[in-house]
């Protein structure tokens, strides 16, 4: 009986390993799925991912460069994408805000504490609150109200810069 079980177990393990190696989606597919826009014509310029910690906490940041501005037309017609400027809450999350008494953010930052996103003047943004209890597809998931009052964050923000034809994508999970 052992002679029959051992080859079967080994075969199943090999199949699982092969599936795990080839089953993942590319970063471009992940970004396209998350923001509803096909970005396969772009080239990934920056990619950093610190996810994988306790409960999958971490930060993903990527930038994708395009050779032309064709994607801007698609974004301008998509109701989930909004023209810049960002709301006050999203500005705090992305760039940080400062008053005479305090500084809040940025929440998306590099190892030195600097904002990951460059200053973008013209373009579109897309926001998803992945911590919201709203059903997928509802406008509540695109609402940034109350996020700064939370103890943890689970959101995705994407900003497309029409001046440089660059899409910036970030996820934060704390």
């Amino acid at each position: 009986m052992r002679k029959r079980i051992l080859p079967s177990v080994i075969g199943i393990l090999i199949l699982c390993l092969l599936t795990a190696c080839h089953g993942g989606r590319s970063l471009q597919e992940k970004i396209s799925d998350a923001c509803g826009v096909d970005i396969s014509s772009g080239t990934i310029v920056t990619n950093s991912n610190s996810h994988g910690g306790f409960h999958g906490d971490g930060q993903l940041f990527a930038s994708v460069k395009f050779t032309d501005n064709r994607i801007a037309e698609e974004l301008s017609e998509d109701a989930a994408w909004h023209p810049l400027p960002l709301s006050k809450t999203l500005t705090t999350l992305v760039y940080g805000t400062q008053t005479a008494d305090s500084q809040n953010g940025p929440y998306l930052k590099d190892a030195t504490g600097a904002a990951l996103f460059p200053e973008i003047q013209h373009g579109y943004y897309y926001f998803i609150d992945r911590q919201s209890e709203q059903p997928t597809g509802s406008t509540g998931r695109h609402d940034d109200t109350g996020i700064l009052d939370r103890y943890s964050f689970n959101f995705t923000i994407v900003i497309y810069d029409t001046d440089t034809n660059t899409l910036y994508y970030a996820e934060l999970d704390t």
Side-chain angles (χ1 to χ4, degrees), residues 93-104:
L93 292 172
V94 173
Y95 300 112
T97 52
Q98 189 169 355
T99 65
D101 300 327
S102 67
Q103 179 169 341
N104 192 4

Side-chain angles (χ1 to χ4, degrees), residues 30-37 75 78-86 90 94 108 117 123-130 136-138 141-144 155-160 167-171:
K30 177 183 173 106
I31 294 171
S32 293
D33 289 347
C35 64
V37 176
L75 302 181
D78 189 330
W81 285 81
H82 307 283
L84 292 174
L86 297 171
L90 295 181
V94 173
L108 296 161
F117 283 81
Y124 299 92
Y125 73 92
Y126 175 88
F127 174 77
I128 274 246
D129 177 7
R130 291 181 284 105
T136 302
S138 75
R141 290 184 50 119
H142 299 281
D143 184 12
D144 61 19
F155 65 85
T156 301
I157 187 158
V158 189
I159 303 176
Y160 180 76
L167 182 134
Y168 299 93
Y169 177 89
E171 292 179 3

Side-chain angles (χ1 to χ4, degrees), residues 16-29:
C16 289
L17 287 172
L18 289 174
T19 302
C21 291
H22 297 300
R25 299 178 306 161
S26 74
L27 180 58
Q28 285 177 308
E29 289 171 326

